[in-house]
Amino acid sequence: MSNNLVANGVSTCAGCGLEIAIRCVLGVLGEKTIIVIPPGCAALFSGYGNSTALKIPGFQGNLENTAAYAAGIRAGLDIRGKEDITVLGFAGDGATVDIGLQSLSGMLERRERVLYICYDNEAYMNTGMQGSGSSPYSAWTTTTPGGKLTPKKDMLKIVEAHNIPYVASASIGYLNDLKKKVKTAKDVNGPAYIHIHTPCPTGWGFDASMTVEVARKAVETGLWTLYEIIEGQKKINIQISENINTLKYLKLQKRFKKVIKEDSTP
């Protein structure tokens, strides 16, 4: 995997799950990629003014139109016969499951040949940790200070309902699985969607050295399932233990502190 498409020394938070994700994704896709990034944590990579942390073409759009911009780029490339370039929409959960949902749904319905990736850190982290539709039940955010009262929106099921060729969940705790899925999605003749679970030490409240461990615990406890759907056929990629104990995952994070008793034992 090539890692030289993302500059060193970017200004993400220490232990950022998103940074792991974008380095992995672009390492697989390579330099023949055009990326669209909305305002959000990933805007640190698109940069501002004449500066960018990426060595591929792309731009920062607005929060609601990532998929629409990507579809337009795809159409322009196809007219010019440049079919070997991957068009990548790379957006967080707020720009995907909430504000950008309408443009994403339209792009999927029209069967545009775009790879859309959602990095899911389960809140609007770069603007002050406000809750999003992807924040889990009981999670503390600045807009759900007593714990979120509704469950996490199941974005993968929403995408699946569009009957597109490829849908997958992934995690930065399982990079080989993620790389394999990006490689598959790159060659899909139509829209492809990957939803990557990307723990956020700043917003979730855990030590920056534990990002990968938290990501793996989400999968091991069954709170995040790794699977892919190819032409309607679903396959579970990582089987979990029968001895599921979600406290092992929840107790690693301060955002669930109000709903977990101090003497609870995993």
Side-chain angles (χ1 to χ4, degrees):
M1 182 179 76
S2 170
N3 288 315
N4 62 1
L5 297 179
V6 182
N8 297 322
V10 294
S11 54
T12 54
C13 300
C16 177
L18 154 65
E19 182 177 351
I20 297 172
I22 196 168
R23 289 184 183 279
C24 180
V25 168
L26 294 184
V28 175
L29 294 180
E31 61 184 6
K32 286 192 172 183
T33 303
I34 297 176
I35 190 170
V36 180
I37 297 175
C41 294
L44 294 170
F45 294 89
S46 58
Y48 50 95
N50 294 324
S51 300
T52 176
L54 302 179
K55 298 179 182 178
I56 57 172
F59 70 96
Q60 180 180 318
N62 50 22
L63 206 55
E64 64 268 39
N65 287 340
T66 301
Y69 285 133
I73 293 170
R74 178 76 272 160
L77 291 171
D78 289 347
I79 288 174
R80 291 165 175 77
K82 297 183 177 181
E83 298 180 355
D84 61 338
I85 296 175
T86 300
V87 179
L88 172 65
F90 193 86
D93 48 292
T96 301
V97 310
D98 295 334
I99 300 170
L101 183 56
Q102 46 81 24
S103 67
L104 175 59
S105 179
M107 184 272 283
L108 299 176
E109 182 188 6
R110 295 190 303 273
R111 299 294 188 268
E112 310 280 4
R113 192 161 64 87
V114 168
L115 170 54
Y116 190 103
I117 290 180
C118 173
Y119 62 93
D120 187 359
N121 53 25
E122 300 185 335
Y124 294 84
M125 295 304 185
N126 76 315
T127 55
M129 295 176 275
Q130 299 93 343
S132 78
S134 199
S135 300
Y137 180 76
S138 294
W140 174 94
T141 69
T142 54
T143 53
T144 59
K148 191 184 177 196
L149 299 177
T150 55
K152 180 184 178 86
K153 192 183 297 183
D154 193 336
M155 188 63 200
L156 283 149
K157 281 190 176 178
I158 294 173
V159 174
E160 180 185 356
H162 289 75
N163 297 310
I164 64 171
Y166 189 77
V167 182
S169 62
S171 166
I172 55 97
Y174 293 81
L175 290 183
N176 287 335
D177 178 75
L178 171 58
K179 293 174 190 174
K180 181 181 176 183
K181 289 170 176 172
V182 174
K183 186 176 181 181
T184 299
K186 178 182 178 183
D187 297 327
V188 167
N189 185 23
Y193 179 90
I194 301 176
H195 198 108
I196 308 175
H197 197 228
T198 57
C200 170
T202 304
W204 296 15
F206 60 82
D207 188 87
S209 65
M210 297 176 63
T211 303
V212 172
E213 181 180 349
V214 171
R216 293 185 72 87
K217 279 285 186 293
V219 175
E220 291 169 1
T221 56
L223 292 174
W224 186 252
T225 304
L226 298 183
Y227 66 91
E228 58 189 339
I229 303 173
I230 304 175
E231 300 292 354
Q233 299 299 311
K234 185 174 183 179
K235 177 184 178 183
I236 303 295
N237 304 115
I238 304 291
Q239 298 292 338
I240 63 173
S241 168
E242 294 181 356
N243 300 316
I244 298 173
N245 189 333
T246 56
L247 278 178
K248 289 182 179 179
Y249 172 69
L250 301 178
K251 290 196 75 172
L252 291 173
Q253 308 164 53
K254 291 182 180 177
R255 62 177 176 160
F256 296 111
K257 190 174 181 179
K258 289 188 177 181
V259 296
I260 298 175
K261 296 180 180 178
E262 289 295 328
D263 58 354
S264 298
T265 54

